Amino acid sequence: MEISLRRVAQMLGEAEKLVITGHIHPDGDSLGSMLALYAPLAAQGKQVTLLLDDELPAVYRFLPGAELIRRPAGPVAADLLVVLDASDADRIAGVDAAVRATVLNIDHHISNTKFADFWYIDSQAAATGEIVLELLHLMKIPVTADMATNLYTAIATDCGFFRYANATATTLRHAADLMDSGAQPHIIAEQLETKPLDSIMTLRSVLDSLEIHAGGRIAAVTVEFENGGDSAADTTEGYINYPRNIEGVEIAIMFKPEGDGATRVSFRSRRCDVSRLALAFGGGGHARAAGCTVASGLAAAKKEVLRAAERLLAESGL
Ligand code: AMP
Ligand code: MN
Ligand code: MN
């Protein structure tokens, strides 16, 4: 059932035992939103658990409270399972089966499948972190410096540090509020930009893999880790900006073979709606940033996805 933000605040107020989760392949928005909501609820004496069925990328370990996030290890009973920044039950993987509770989903994905018992979806919000900040205001919860760091990271990472089309005047006002509460943008940016040497070495091979299709309108890169599998502690966020930023490119794609024979695909676009592409392959996202996991291996996935991307270009008149 769709509910108002006020009703979300009420449900959080009434619950005594809560689990907070976010999507797998976690990003700044899912993690920052989880941690910012966790702190005040735990401080109110509620029993709150942070669960995530994935590894935490090393770049996000600086987020205050990140060390409290656990992987599900057996069944958990709770009053409420709060699912943040995830548009479908698949996106929380094992947490869905592990937690017996009423499910409340707070999200900003246009592709949200309305899988929860209760949901609040604002597809105009640049990040789930924006909704969480409004929720905290509604609950009259003072925003501490740690909460501000988490929410600033959530918001800034989802709108390319205020450069993408989803960043609004409200987004910038939220960021200013968070600075007033103690968020330090230059320190957060430095944390996110400092990468292990391995990550830059991987970038070399990523750039080497660059392919141009559709007369320069589609650019694709492939991320393959040297150890053959998925380096779970690493993050490949950011690599897709290289094909995205090439002049004339309408759709940028990043392919990443997963350990299990499937291929993870990310999409970015300048003008067309790539959430349609991602949805067609069982994923989702936003008009200009979306993703999916295709069951086939790299070569087959590339063929299928590139063909669909060319079709989208034609349908979009681009
Ligand atoms: P990414 O390419 O992983 O940065 O994802 C871009 C956007 O698409 C983010 O908002 C993701 O939350 C969303 N997204 C990525 N993969 C999926 C998926 N399998 N299902 C639904 N949404 C996704
Ligand atoms: Mn996200
Ligand atoms: Mn998000």
Side-chain angles (χ1 to χ4, degrees):
M1 185 171 78
E2 182 172 15
I3 57 171
S4 66
L5 202 56
R6 199 161 288 283
R7 181 79 191 107
V8 171
Q10 244 172 27
M11 287 181 78
L12 293 173
E14 285 162 10
E16 274 310 314
K17 192 167 180 206
L18 301 98
V19 175
I20 300 177
T21 193
H23 61 78
I24 52 167
H25 303 292
D27 56 17
D29 189 24
S30 56
L31 296 169
S33 295
M34 283 172 67
L35 295 168
L37 189 59
Y38 168 85
L41 297 176
Q44 286 172 6
K46 297 178 189 291
Q47 198 183 324
V48 195
T49 311
L50 287 163
L51 287 184
L52 179 69
D53 194 14
D54 208 341
E55 297 296 319
L56 204 66
V59 282
Y60 293 119
R61 291 204 191 123
F62 79 97
L63 291 175
E67 69 286 354
L68 302 170
I69 299 177
R70 304 261 175 276
R71 282 190 90 136
V76 184
D79 305 330
L80 203 58
L81 169 62
V82 186
V83 180
L84 297 170
D85 197 41
S87 53
D88 192 86
D90 289 355
R91 296 278 284 156
I92 59 169
V95 173
D96 185 39
V99 182
R100 290 272 145 265
T102 300
V103 181
L104 168 63
N105 181 210
I106 303 172
D107 187 33
H108 70 129
H109 290 93
I110 196 163
S111 61
N112 192 293
T113 59
K114 305 186 173 166
F115 64 96
D117 298 310
F118 298 92
W119 63 83
Y120 179 83
I121 304 162
D122 177 3
S123 59
Q124 297 301 307
T128 298
E130 287 206 272
I131 307 172
V132 172
L133 181 60
E134 282 166 14
L135 184 61
L136 296 175
H137 286 158
L138 209 61
M139 295 172 85
K140 305 213 177 339
I141 290 172
V143 177
T144 64
D146 281 354
M147 285 154 68
T149 298
N150 281 315
L151 287 179
Y152 181 91
T153 304
I155 295 170
T157 51
D158 253 29
C159 63
F161 285 77
F162 314 100
R163 286 168 301 164
Y164 300 156
N166 59 351
T168 63
T170 305
T171 313
L172 287 160
R173 274 184 215 110
H174 283 156
D177 271 8
L178 292 168
M179 267 188 96
D180 281 340
S181 300
Q184 293 186 282
H186 69 290
I187 294 187
I188 293 170
E190 171 136 358
Q191 289 281 359
L192 295 171
E193 280 165 7
T194 306
K195 304 222 160 54
L197 177 59
D198 269 1
S199 166
I200 303 300
M201 294 306 218
T202 305
L203 173 62
R204 273 213 298 217
S205 70
V206 169
L207 291 177
D208 241 3
S209 75
L210 180 69
E211 297 171 29
I212 303 293
H213 298 276
R217 289 167 301 150
I218 298 175
V221 289
T222 304
V223 184
E224 282 182 280
F225 288 104
E226 266 162 32
N227 60 17
D230 184 10
S231 166
D234 204 340
T235 177
T236 50
E237 251 181 274
Y239 294 148
I240 196 166
N241 289 330
Y242 292 92
R244 176 186 182 273
N245 289 342
I246 298 170
E247 203 175 3
V249 167
E250 293 288 349
I251 301 177
I253 311 176
M254 181 173 81
F255 295 99
K256 188 170 141 197
E258 303 266 82
D260 57 3
T263 305
R264 167 130 190 96
V265 189
S266 289
F267 300 102
R268 298 292 183 272
S269 70
R270 237 181 261 283
R271 292 182 283 181
C272 57
D273 181 358
V274 281
S275 74
R276 284 172 52 194
L277 257 183
L279 267 173
F281 289 100
H286 312 281
R288 298 203 170 34
C292 59
T293 299
V294 183
S296 34
L298 183 62
K302 265 190 181 172
K303 216 167 140 188
E304 279 179 77
V305 168
L306 285 168
R307 198 182 306 137
E310 295 206 25
R311 225 177 299 129
L312 177 67
L313 278 183
E315 284 165 13
S316 315
L318 295 169

